[in-house]
Amino acid sequence: MSDPQERGAWSSKIGFILAGAGSAVGLGAIWRFPYYTGENGGAIFTLAFLICCFFIGYPVMIAELTLGRNTQKNPVGMFKKLAKGGGWKWLGGLCILSGFTIFAWYSIIAGWVVGYLYKTAIGTFSEVRDANMISSMFDQFSASGVTVSSLHALIILMTAFVVYRGVKSGIELLSKLLMPLLFLLLILLAIRSITLEGAADGLKFYLYPDFSKVSGMMILKAMGQALFSLSLGMGTMITYGSYLSKKENIPVSAAWITFFELLVCILAGLVIMPAVSAMGQSYTEGPDLIFKVLPSIFGQMPGGYYFGVGFFVLVIIAALTSTVSILEVPVAYFVDEKHWSRKKAVIFVGFIAYLIGTPAALAHGASDFWSNLAGIKGGFFTIISTVFGDISLSIGAFFIAIFVGWLWGVEKATTEIKSEENGITVSEFPIKKYWSFLIKFVAPVTIAIVFGYTMWKTFIGL
Ligand code: PFF
């Protein structure tokens, strides 16, 4: 048993919901959702994403929180405790590996945001009105290896500091401060963006589904994005659930977390898509998208300088409440399973993540080799973020659904969800039937079909 002092716990219900929402709401909603939407056909992608959130994301989130609370463990410890046979331990291992790698590349983007906060604060964009110029300023910035690597290191250090301070004082506190402000700012920015001249095209792209854009890859990306933005498939919610008290109502908490996340995604799309058309930029710009569009929005609103600075500060905090939840997974593993101190685990994981992330940080122009690896745009970055960001999460979510639906079983899960002891129910679970159906059939079958079909098309052709 690990020392409870090393594990920690949430101090209140709202603290947990905010921390869970803090994990979910981050760059996934503000940076990744808009650019995936742009690359994958607009409204049709958003529709597929929403469907995946309701029918796969939400039930898997309930499953992960339940597994975590029942075992009070990290993913590896959880499978060791509940599963017979060593195979499941490997799935736990995949979760830990995803934690390392997602932390590695996610903190690069968070570093870009810090760079953009600095640039905005010193007035770099104040005088520039030309959208193409703003766009090439980003290309220059992301190609500067020293700057992006240093910012990458900075984010890793900041995250390590929060995770080192422990669950209650660090993660909860950050989350509590952030949410209301972020919503408010996004709403104001969305209003500005929608009322820009030339915004109509972007709105149409974002709101009217074009069914000719449906493809296996598009649905796989929507599914990956749903899991990513809800922090599922790599045991974050298992780990967060392990700090959760028996009094909390898991389905209700999960619903709130999902709701907050979707709201931020939809708002972020409303900020970015109309602005893309208004600025004459391309929807398929990829990971650079928001950095090439946002400075122009700020440039065209009264008090834009302050909005810009405020926005980037909030996005950094949103990113940090997510990076801490990602880092927490491998750290909890080393604390629980290897009996390391929190400090040692944090330093080790942070260091390895920096090493793994470095070639990805250089894959935006700083190094030709890493930028064009395997002939793919964005090279190593694109590869690592697709493999550990879409694919690994889909595999994780698939097996978690199978495990809870068929092996551990929905009855045991229900007992945990209701916190039933000696016939006394703490939390009602009115959606049990609906959830059982989703977790046993809909989630795993959909993931298997989408994943199998897309892999087949990509690697075997036809
Ligand atoms: N959900 C986070 C975001 O959207 O920014 C990212 C994330 C956190 C992914 C935790 C996966 C995870 F386990």
Side-chain angles (χ1 to χ4, degrees):
M1 273 290 289
S2 61
D3 176 357
Q5 282 281 307
E6 294 285 347
R7 297 203 86 249
W10 308 113
S11 64
S12 65
K13 179 190 179 72
I14 188 73
F16 167 69
I17 292 178
L18 284 175
S23 165
V25 175
L27 297 173
I30 295 162
W31 157 78
R32 200 179 195 240
F33 175 74
Y35 100 74
Y36 265 36
T37 303
E39 276 184 344
N40 292 287
I44 188 71
F45 175 84
T46 306
L47 190 65
F49 164 76
L50 289 176
I51 292 174
C52 290
C53 286
F54 287 120
F55 295 110
I56 301 174
Y58 179 59
V60 170
M61 186 181 297
I62 293 179
E64 284 203 20
L65 291 172
T66 306
L67 289 170
R69 187 172 74 180
N70 183 264
T71 54
Q72 310 273 300
K73 294 272 182 209
N74 66 87
V76 173
M78 180 279 291
F79 281 123
K80 261 198 210 160
K81 194 162 167 184
L82 295 183
K84 315 214 166 29
W88 290 100
K89 234 174 45 188
W90 288 102
L91 183 65
L94 178 68
C95 291
I96 309 301
L97 182 66
S98 302
F100 270 98
T101 36
I102 294 179
F103 183 45
W105 65 258
Y106 192 95
S107 39
I108 296 168
I109 310 298
W112 289 358
V113 182
V114 173
Y116 262 53
L117 168 62
Y118 176 74
K119 277 179 178 294
T120 309
I122 60 167
T124 310
F125 304 113
S126 302
E127 301 303 314
V128 190
R129 287 285 169 274
D130 178 29
N132 291 330
M133 187 114 136
I134 287 182
S135 169
S136 54
M137 283 164 96
F138 179 77
D139 293 332
Q140 253 175 24
F141 165 76
S142 66
S144 150
V146 176
T147 309
V148 288
S149 286
S150 315
L151 293 170
H152 180 209
L154 178 71
I155 293 291
I156 289 184
L157 284 174
M158 285 163 76
T159 309
F161 176 72
V162 178
V163 172
Y164 170 61
R165 285 188 62 198
V167 170
K168 226 191 298 180
S169 45
I171 302 172
E172 258 189 63
L173 189 71
L174 264 183
S175 312
K176 270 185 193 158
L177 299 172
L178 163 80
M179 289 288 164
L181 276 178
L182 188 64
F183 284 133
L184 189 70
L185 209 67
L186 281 171
I187 291 171
L188 291 176
L189 291 180
I191 294 173
R192 170 67 281 208
S193 182
I194 292 168
T195 51
L196 284 170
E197 204 178 315
D201 243 22
L203 265 183
K204 186 159 164 251
F205 176 75
Y206 187 47
L207 298 178
Y208 288 97
D210 172 358
F211 286 90
S212 70
K213 297 270 168 55
V214 174
S215 73
M217 195 44 115
M218 183 280 276
I219 299 178
L220 180 69
K221 293 260 171 177
M223 195 168 79
Q225 176 63 22
L227 295 169
F228 184 85
S229 57
L230 293 171
S231 305
L232 299 170
M234 56 157 271
T236 299
M237 290 299 169
I238 296 176
T239 309
Y240 269 31
S242 76
Y243 307 124
L244 189 57
S245 118
K246 293 280 182 200
K247 282 186 294 198
E248 304 308 348
N249 185 320
I250 288 179
V252 171
S253 302
W256 276 114
I257 295 171
T258 307
F259 172 72
F260 283 137
E261 169 62 21
L262 292 186
L263 204 61
V264 177
C265 284
I266 300 299
L267 279 174
L270 272 181
V271 174
I272 301 298
M273 294 304 146
V276 172
S277 69
M279 310 298 165
Q281 299 284 333
S282 151
Y283 295 114
T284 54
E285 191 60 57
D288 310 355
L289 187 65
I290 70 161
F291 297 94
K292 294 189 167 175
V293 170
L294 280 169
S296 301
I297 306 181
F298 300 131
Q300 297 195 28
M301 64 197 291
Y305 173 84
Y306 299 99
F307 279 108
V309 171
F311 179 80
F312 285 122
V313 169
L314 288 177
V315 176
I316 292 166
I317 301 176
L320 279 176
T321 56
S322 301
T323 50
V324 293
S325 76
I326 302 170
L327 177 58
E328 183 65 23
V329 174
V331 166
Y333 164 74
F334 287 115
V335 170
D336 286 350
E337 303 304 313
K338 304 287 173 206
H339 309 290
W340 287 11
S341 69
R342 218 165 222 284
K343 186 173 173 184
K344 178 172 164 193
V346 164
I347 293 174
F348 176 74
V349 180
F351 181 67
I352 300 290
Y354 183 69
L355 292 185
I356 302 174
T358 296
L362 303 180
H364 274 91
S367 142
D368 273 351
F369 176 76
W370 294 113
S371 304
N372 300 308
L373 195 66
I376 295 171
K377 186 179 160 210
F380 187 69
F381 181 91
T382 308
I383 295 171
I384 193 174
S385 70
T386 306
V387 173
F388 295 101
D390 290 316
I391 296 177
S392 73
L393 299 185
S394 301
I395 297 175
F398 172 79
F399 283 108
I400 287 166
I402 295 287
F403 183 73
V404 172
W406 298 97
L407 290 154
W408 192 48
V410 290
E411 287 314 318
K412 281 195 191 134
T414 302
T415 308
E416 177 59 47
I417 290 169
K418 290 182 170 177
S419 293
E420 237 166 21
E421 229 173 301
N422 306 325
I424 297 173
T425 298
V426 178
S427 302
E428 294 303 331
F429 187 27
I431 57 161
K432 176 182 170 190
K433 267 206 184 121
Y434 163 81
W435 175 75
S436 308
F437 181 64
L438 292 180
I439 204 73
K440 284 176 90 156
F441 301 105
V442 177
V445 170
T446 313
I447 298 174
I449 293 176
V450 173
F451 189 73
Y453 171 77
T454 314
M455 290 299 123
W456 174 273
K457 285 253 322 180
T458 310
F459 294 109
I460 306 187
L462 299 175

